[in-house]
Amino acid sequence: MVDERLIVTGRKEESEQETVEVVYEALIRNWKPLREWMNEDRAFRVWQNNLRLAIEDWEKIKER
């Protein structure tokens, strides 16, 4: 989908959180499988990002 420019990926600088933006809102409104996938995956992505941040914090502490 990225290659077709239907979604855009990025990273927020202040939190280094990965982001995905749906370029065409009609995809979310009208494509039920995508909407369901996004809802199912949201909890995992939040957990994954929190784990990534915890690992970064642990590595900073370990370096001291």
Side-chain angles (χ1 to χ4, degrees):
M1 287 189 188
V2 173
D3 292 339
E4 289 80 17
R5 298 182 188 263
L6 298 175
I7 60 173
V8 177
T9 60
R11 184 179 296 270
K12 291 183 181 180
E13 289 183 28
E14 62 275 0
S15 65
E16 294 188 15
Q17 181 178 10
E18 293 178 1
T19 61
V20 176
E21 294 180 58
V22 178
V23 177
Y24 296 105
E25 190 174 318
L27 281 175
I28 295 174
R29 283 186 274 124
N30 300 313
W31 191 20
K32 187 177 178 181
L34 175 61
R35 191 170 57 245
E36 290 172 354
W37 170 76
M38 290 174 66
N39 288 334
E40 289 172 3
D41 198 43
R42 183 173 288 122
F44 173 73
R45 297 293 293 156
V46 168
W47 174 85
Q48 185 181 42
N49 188 60
N50 289 338
L51 178 61
R52 183 179 297 118
L53 294 174
I55 290 170
E56 289 173 6
D57 288 345
W58 181 76
E59 288 176 344
K60 287 177 188 175
I61 292 169
K62 191 173 80 169
E63 291 174 358
R64 293 183 197 169

